[in-house]
Structure formats: structure tokens, C-alpha cells
Amino acid sequence: MLPSRVKHRKTHRGSRAGNATTGNKISYGEFGLQTLDRGWIKNTQIEACRIAITRHLKRKGNVYIRIFPHKPVTARPPETRMGKGKGAPEFWVAVVYPGTMLFEVAGVSEALARDACRLAANKLGLRTRFVTRQSLTK
């Protein structure tokens, strides 16, 4: 997963302060995986989570990915001296804040969705929680 085109090839690291104000509710499915930490999630991690969820659900139900890696992260080659500018883009990340909904699942039982989200959460380096549509409206 990476953007087809971006306005700027290299970006600043940015601020990670604050909590999620948008994208923190279940919009499409019945169950969701919500992050409790702030950080960056790589495009490869998102893809690994998607594969883990769809394989566990045996392609039943629907899986909605609520995050997308828009931010390029640059890196310099190892053993390079100081100076000579900023490195080339290495990978892409999605910036997530506490409360961001990562994935949503619909059309399956709660037990199956909970197991699938547990497998996906193990692929991430962040603390997450399993939420249902009813638990967020209370």
C-alpha cells in the first residue's frame, strides 16, 4: 500500500500530540480494532493485518481498512558521513493517534471477529482494543 502520487516526495516528521477526533467511531462494520497508543504504522504492517483478518474469516464477511499510509519516511544509507542532504524515501506510514479505528469487520459473529482482530493486533507494535458498535454508543 502506497499513494499513487503525492504533492511532496519528502515530508517532515511532524507532531504526534493529541487524540483522534475523526475516524474514532465504527462507521462501516459492527466490530472494530481501535488503537490506544500513538505512533506510525508501516504499509507492510497494514497489509499483514489485512491478510491475517481475511484468512481467519475464511473470506466471509467484510473487512474495512480505515487507515492509509500517506506519509513517506526517509532514511540514509548506513555508514554515510554527515551532510549531503536528506535521504531517499524508504517506506510509507500511517500516523495514528489514541482512539483511531484501524480495521472494521462486518457480517460475522463477535467471537470470530474478536479472534481475527487479536491476530491483527499481534502484527502491530501498538496497544489496541476490540470494540463493538454497541460498546461505543454507551
Side-chain angles (χ1 to χ4, degrees):
M1 294 178 78
L2 60 135
S4 55
R5 91 186 257 286
V6 289
K7 188 170 184 180
H8 300 289
R9 202 167 72 91
K10 301 175 182 177
T11 62
H12 291 294
R13 292 176 68 85
S15 169
R16 299 185 201 177
N19 295 327
T21 54
T22 60
N24 54 3
K25 304 270 189 292
I26 294 181
S27 302
Y28 305 104
E30 299 151 17
F31 312 105
L33 188 66
Q34 189 177 42
T35 181
L36 301 174
D37 289 339
R38 68 188 80 247
W40 288 348
I41 299 179
K42 288 185 181 183
N43 55 347
T44 54
Q45 290 175 307
I46 297 171
E47 184 65 13
C49 291
R50 182 192 68 79
I51 290 169
I53 291 173
T54 53
R55 283 188 179 161
H56 188 74
L57 298 180
K58 297 188 173 77
R59 297 192 4 241
K60 304 249 185 331
N62 294 339
V63 178
Y64 302 96
I65 304 172
R66 296 287 308 276
I67 54 174
F68 188 82
H70 287 292
K71 183 183 196 62
V73 177
T74 61
R76 299 286 305 279
E79 300 177 10
T80 306
R81 293 187 177 185
M82 293 283 104
K84 307 281 192 296
K86 192 174 169 87
E90 284 286 313
F91 54 91
W92 297 82
V93 296
V95 181
V96 295
Y97 301 100
T100 303
M101 199 63 63
L102 304 176
F103 299 94
E104 292 183 21
V105 179
V108 294
S109 67
E110 181 174 350
L112 194 60
R114 189 179 292 272
D115 279 348
C117 288
R118 178 184 53 79
L119 291 173
N122 289 334
K123 308 286 184 203
L124 302 171
L126 303 172
R127 291 182 307 129
T128 58
R129 69 176 181 171
F130 178 79
V131 292
T132 62
R133 193 180 281 271
Q134 288 80 20
S135 68
L136 286 181
T137 55
K138 291 180 184 176

